[in-house]
Amino acid sequence: MADKKTIMLGNEAIARGAFEAGVKLSSAYPGTPSTEISEYLAKYEEVYTEWAPNEKVAAEVAIGASISGVRSLACMKHVGLNVASDPLYTFSYTGVNGGSVFVVADDPGLASSQNEQDTRMIARAAHVPVLEPSDSQEAKDFVKLGYELSEKYDTPVILRTTTKLAHSQSSVELCDRVEVSDKEYARNVAKYVMMPASAIGRHLVVEEREARLAEDAATLSANKMEINDTKIGFITCGIAYQYVKEVCPNASVLKLGLVNPISKKLVADFVNQVETVYVFEELEPVIEEQVRAWGFDVKGKECFTRQGEYSANMLRRVLFGADEAVFDKLEAPNRPPILCPGCPHRSVFSVLNKLKIHASGDIGCYTLGAVAPLGVIDTTICMGASISALHGMEKARGKEYIKNWVAVIGDSTFLHTGINSLINMVYNKSTGTVMILDNRTTGMTGHQDHAATGKTLKGEETYAIDLAALCKAVGVQNVIEVNAFDVVTLEKIIKESVASDTLTVIITKAPCVLLKGQKFPNKCEADADACKKCGMCLKIGCPAITKRPDGKISIDATMCNGCGLCKSYCKFNAIKTVER
Amino acid sequence: MTKNIMIVGVGGQGTLLTSRIIGKTAMELGYDVKISEVHGMAQRGGSVVTFVRFGEKVNEPVVEEGQADVIIAFERLEALRYSHFLKKDGVLVVNDCRIDPMTVVIGAKDYPENIIENLSEKHSVYTIDGQKIALELGNSKVLNSVVLGYAAGFIGFDKDIWLKVVEATVPAKTIEINKKAFTYGYEAQH
């Protein structure tokens, strides 16, 4: 296996790095662009891997493993670190026993996220070192370096990636796994019990550690200084480095692999040799502000935006006033992502739309219910917020105010943090309606199992949490389960529960249509003779249904998944189901 | 000299697999290769773009405006949307099909007329009805192989190396039909 060269996705290389570093445990909650790390790592028998219900749990599992003396990993997306920041801040104080790395994937450009936050800001606040790779080879190498630094400096280490790095493939040299022997555990209250008397001492340790690492960073292999043309130079990190090399192959570059803490000595050496220095970093001016605070004259965010992904053309425009484009961008109607044909969420939303009910929304595929023609989702904030926000509305404005509102949340998101919010509704006597759209998977991130699916990340059978029983157990009196595609029953139940003064949980059940083995046996066909051009079926926003030039509808046989929702809304029997 | 390929289409059309086959083929021949993909939200029927770059040494993983040697578009509107990524003498290979985006379905926008004719005024455009050929071959899912075979001539490499990588990449049960589909596309162009 050793010294074999292959091509790997950034996320696959991270998994490989963890494997080679002798990691024994990994815990994670899916989140784009971090999800595949766990899926690749699960293929290695030597590593225990799991899906946790949320990132806070995942982080704490990794912390426990570290304290017990093994190398551990936790993976999450940037907003997942918000959930896991409580353990992270204090893990920084306790330090590790076995090395521990948290992979945190930022999403500049918002390919699939609700904000563009920069993980380096949280890491600075928590005084945790951050490594940032710029291709798949470095992704693998930096994971291994992360474990060395973690154990040498007694600290958790964050490996920060971004969407481009996570989802790009480049070549990687494979090495063998190094089996790391488990560290002895010794009871150490001053180190692992963070009550005030011991934490006050650990705070001093944290500061001393960070200063020492900043000092040592001057000779760290992950930081590279390339002195070429000294007229122009860049301080950069991560994927942004690649754009610099693309546009200015002869410029001088200080490429920081360790982006927190930053080596002041390296920066000084670089700035003193180069005439004009740009700090080129995606998102926040984290490096720039420190460099400026040290009194060095550099250019940064006055030239380059805080928003979105960077590119070589963007750098060309700033430096040379023009990019490489030859042709003008042509006008083309947008093609936003949509719910798939056969998606059970569409059925639920079609009823809410018909009843003119507002939905306090959550994070998942169902966020797509915000756009036309369904347009029922009014709010999306963060995981679990649908339920708590509905509760807030009721307590602020009274129970009559939410008679045309429901909360909408997926099964995986409900188990992530929605359950806490539901407990709050029960405890504080809410009367609202919560809809759990139970499609038996974590859909948006690409079908990961969770605590209610009956399967582990490793594919083993396990206990499947009964969502209805769980809701009843926390005190919800009225829990109703209904087939998501039974629009008649669904309409009746929703009408009754929003009108009533009893807290109700409606669990709409139908598996994600993309799950293996969940295809409907039939497909739908339009009968042009019977079609009266009323447009009712177009209101459900199914991509398989289009209007022909004559105003009648047609259904694309290759796209239709046969759910029959359009048929339920056709008053003229112009849609029939036929065998596929 | 780095070669820049873009594959554009609609989420679910299998553009990801196509980019991986191109990348693997280039790697087989000893090139430095980078591939960039779109995951997550964009898979849900949205506009999807992937990039393959290969050469002696490749830095950035994406192709930018004005740089594409070849764009393989699996749908007409997507060909239009990304045509400005072509370099001056770049080639646009289009699978001649129409998939209406939701903005068109609900009547908020019109699907542009005469896309191919208009693009042909400025660019070298080659079209193929991949869906029709795939159905004739007996499996609509081999659309990607038909289109890739058709585009392969503009990318370069020997047919045998392509077929070897197709064989190593597609699911075992579909090797034969995918190779047949690739060959059909390849010969249609040559």
Side-chain angles (χ1 to χ4, degrees):
Chain A
M1 180 58 84
D3 299 333
K4 194 178 163 246
K5 203 170 178 177
T6 182
I7 185 164
M8 276 186 169
L9 209 56
N11 280 344
E12 186 180 3
I14 290 168
R16 180 72 198 184
F19 166 76
E20 290 179 6
V23 167
K24 280 197 179 153
L25 173 140
S26 168
S27 189
Y29 182 79
T32 313
S34 72
T35 313
E36 301 85 4
I37 302 168
S38 301
E39 294 179 319
Y40 281 112
L41 197 53
K43 293 178 183 165
Y44 296 108
E45 273 177 28
E46 295 88 338
V47 188
Y48 170 81
T49 53
E50 66 173 28
W51 291 129
N54 64 42
E55 296 85 353
K56 178 180 184 292
V57 174
E60 291 156 355
V61 169
I63 291 170
S66 164
I67 291 173
S68 82
V70 311
R71 287 189 165 181
S72 67
L73 181 75
C75 309
M76 60 205 74
K77 68 184 294 178
H78 59 319
V79 285
L81 183 61
N82 299 341
V83 181
S85 63
D86 195 4
L88 176 76
Y89 275 84
T90 304
F91 194 23
S92 173
Y93 273 38
T94 65
V96 303
N97 187 20
S100 195
V101 171
F102 288 11
V103 179
V104 187
D106 285 359
D107 190 14
L110 299 144
S112 190
S113 299
Q114 66 268 41
N115 73 27
E116 279 190 298
Q117 70 186 51
D118 190 324
T119 287
R120 297 174 302 166
M121 305 279 273
I122 295 183
R124 282 201 78 198
H127 302 286
V128 171
V130 181
L131 291 163
E132 184 170 356
S134 66
D135 60 21
S136 296
Q137 179 67 51
E138 277 191 356
K140 194 191 78 151
D141 295 344
F142 283 12
V143 171
K144 294 163 86 171
L145 175 63
Y147 284 98
E148 284 170 32
L149 295 179
S150 174
E151 286 168 3
K152 182 173 176 195
Y153 293 91
D154 190 11
T155 175
V157 169
I158 288 175
L159 182 90
R160 180 215 190 200
T161 72
T162 55
T163 309
K164 259 303 159 283
L165 187 283
H167 289 164
S168 291
Q169 298 189 47
S170 59
S171 64
V172 174
E173 301 250 6
L174 303 184
C175 305
D176 290 325
R177 175 175 168 94
V178 177
E179 287 301 341
V180 182
S181 45
D182 298 348
K183 294 248 168 62
E184 286 291 317
Y185 169 76
R187 179 177 148 85
N188 186 345
V189 172
K191 182 163 162 32
Y192 294 121
V193 184
M194 285 301 97
M195 51 192 175
S198 35
I200 203 164
R202 293 301 299 179
H203 193 173
L204 298 173
V205 173
V206 168
E207 288 204 29
E208 181 277 327
R209 169 185 82 206
E210 194 164 52
R212 188 157 41 95
L213 181 55
E215 210 43 48
D216 297 352
T219 53
L220 192 74
S221 62
N223 294 328
K224 281 200 183 91
M225 189 157 358
E226 304 168 8
I227 298 295
N228 297 308
D229 176 2
T230 53
K231 281 210 166 53
I232 179 171
F234 296 87
I235 301 175
T236 186
C237 64
I239 200 77
Y241 167 77
Q242 305 291 357
Y243 305 133
V244 169
K245 295 304 283 183
E246 194 75 32
V247 177
C248 304
N250 297 319
S252 294
V253 180
L254 174 58
K255 178 185 176 299
L256 295 174
L258 183 72
V259 294
N260 185 57
I262 298 167
S263 165
K264 186 179 175 185
K265 182 179 177 302
L266 277 182
V267 171
D269 281 358
F270 187 74
V271 175
N272 290 335
Q273 292 181 70
V274 179
E275 248 170 71
T276 304
V277 175
Y278 291 92
V279 180
F280 192 61
E281 54 186 326
E282 286 184 326
L283 297 178
E284 299 297 320
V286 176
I287 297 172
E288 179 190 339
E289 283 181 353
Q290 292 175 79
V291 170
R292 281 187 197 273
W294 288 327
F296 299 115
D297 180 26
V298 293
K299 295 175 190 292
K301 291 296 172 190
E302 72 271 31
C303 307
F304 311 112
T305 173
R306 289 175 193 237
Q307 284 145 25
E309 292 186 296
Y310 281 10
S311 69
N313 268 349
M314 172 244 202
L315 183 56
R316 286 185 188 101
R317 285 192 292 273
V318 171
L319 296 179
F320 317 129
D323 60 32
E324 296 205 328
V326 190
F327 303 103
D328 291 334
K329 187 172 172 16
L330 302 175
E331 195 60 42
N334 283 343
R335 190 188 298 277
I338 38 169
L339 296 171
C340 306
C343 175
H345 301 334
R346 174 176 293 106
S347 178
V348 176
F349 292 162
S350 72
V351 176
L352 293 175
N353 175 289
K354 186 179 172 193
L355 298 175
K356 297 192 167 51
I357 285 178
H358 301 263
S360 171
D362 225 294
I363 306 286
C365 291
Y366 40 90
T367 310
L368 298 171
V371 295
L374 293 163
V376 296
I377 300 284
D378 277 33
T379 63
T380 297
I381 312 295
C382 65
M383 299 285 283
S386 58
I387 301 176
S388 356
L390 181 69
H391 174 78
M393 289 175 190
E394 177 177 354
K395 293 301 165 186
R397 302 291 298 269
K399 64 186 180 189
E400 291 309 312
Y401 183 82
I402 57 154
K403 291 295 185 205
N404 59 343
W405 278 82
V406 294
V408 161
I409 188 167
D411 44 343
S412 188
T413 310
F414 178 69
L415 291 171
H416 178 280
T417 32
I419 179 70
N420 310 302
S421 309
L422 186 64
I423 290 170
N424 188 46
M425 284 184 101
V426 173
Y427 174 48
N428 289 305
K429 303 188 233 178
S430 266
T431 66
T433 298
V434 173
M435 302 189 70
I436 302 175
L437 311 186
D438 181 7
N439 67 352
R440 313 308 299 157
T441 191
T442 317
M444 180 57 92
T445 45
H447 303 112
Q448 287 73 36
D449 279 294
H450 58 67
T453 65
K455 276 257 168 69
T456 69
L457 170 56
K458 288 274 192 185
E460 293 159 4
E461 302 280 328
T462 184
Y463 181 77
I465 288 179
D466 178 339
L467 294 178
L470 176 62
C471 295
K472 284 177 193 155
V474 301
V476 180
Q477 301 297 317
N478 201 20
V479 180
I480 306 164
E481 294 181 278
V482 55
N483 176 352
F485 285 106
D486 182 354
V487 289
V488 176
T489 311
L490 198 53
E491 184 178 332
K492 183 170 167 284
I493 292 170
I494 294 172
K495 266 188 187 160
E496 283 169 7
S497 67
V498 291
S500 90
D501 285 349
T502 308
L503 170 60
T504 304
V505 172
I506 303 170
I507 305 175
T508 64
K509 298 175 81 109
C512 172
V513 72
L514 299 183
L515 277 177
K516 229 179 168 177
Q518 295 302 339
K519 234 181 186 172
F520 292 89
N522 304 319
K523 63 179 180 184
C524 299
E525 238 176 45
D527 178 351
D529 294 336
C531 178
K532 297 279 183 277
K533 310 181 192 176
C534 72
M536 276 305 287
C537 59
L538 291 168
K539 284 191 178 174
I540 62 174
C542 176
I545 309 175
T546 48
K547 198 152 78 173
R548 305 192 318 198
D550 66 1
K552 302 197 173 197
I553 61 123
S554 82
I555 298 173
D556 185 317
T558 54
M559 283 174 92
C560 174
N561 275 316
C563 72
L565 182 66
C566 51
K567 193 181 163 192
S568 332
Y569 283 104
C570 181
K571 291 177 188 153
F572 305 103
N573 291 322
I575 297 171
K576 51 182 189 253
T577 44
V578 294
E579 242 175 87
R580 62 168 73 243
Chain B
M1 193 61 187
T2 303
K3 195 109 172 170
N4 298 317
I5 317 289
M6 278 174 77
I7 302 101
V8 304
V10 178
Q13 280 190 309
T15 51
L16 207 64
L17 187 68
T18 309
S19 62
R20 288 182 176 187
I21 293 174
I22 298 171
K24 272 193 191 173
T25 310
M27 190 139 173
E28 193 79 15
L29 290 161
Y31 289 107
D32 187 28
V33 178
K34 283 193 178 169
I35 306 173
S36 187
E37 314 175 339
V38 183
H39 297 211
M41 187 80 99
Q43 286 179 314
R44 306 282 172 263
S47 172
V48 175
V49 53
T50 61
F51 309 95
V52 184
R53 305 189 74 210
F54 59 89
E56 211 171 302
K57 166 85 182 124
V58 178
N59 293 305
E60 67 164 325
V62 296
V63 179
E64 299 192 26
E65 298 93 334
Q67 297 179 333
D69 293 284
V70 181
I71 295 180
I72 306 172
F74 279 77
E75 199 268 354
R76 286 206 295 269
L77 178 59
E78 297 312 306
L80 177 71
R81 188 186 317 283
Y82 292 103
S83 59
H84 64 294
F85 276 73
L86 282 169
K87 60 165 61 162
K88 199 158 168 270
D89 49 357
V91 173
L92 185 54
V93 177
V94 187
N95 174 43
D96 200 4
C97 89
R98 167 177 170 168
I99 300 174
D100 286 358
M102 200 43 66
T103 42
V104 170
V105 172
I106 62 173
K109 290 273 168 65
D110 290 321
Y111 193 97
E113 301 286 331
N114 307 319
I115 290 176
I116 302 296
E117 292 77 359
N118 292 338
L119 287 175
S120 299
E121 284 175 16
K122 272 192 276 180
H123 309 286
S124 306
V125 183
Y126 297 83
T127 60
I128 184 168
D129 190 343
Q131 193 62 39
K132 191 171 148 227
I133 295 164
L135 284 171
E136 277 168 18
L137 292 171
N139 186 346
S140 68
K141 286 188 177 158
V142 299
L143 162 74
N144 328 29
S145 293
V146 176
V147 177
L148 178 61
Y150 189 68
F154 301 106
I155 300 171
F157 314 147
D158 271 359
K159 189 177 136 197
D160 291 344
I161 294 168
W162 282 109
L163 286 174
K164 192 178 144 195
V165 176
V166 168
E167 184 170 337
T169 313
V170 302
K173 274 192 278 181
T174 66
I175 288 174
E176 278 318 306
I177 187 155
N178 270 297
K179 283 169 78 175
K180 209 167 128 191
F182 181 93
T183 307
Y184 192 106
Y186 193 86
E187 278 162 9
Q189 208 285 307
H190 280 77

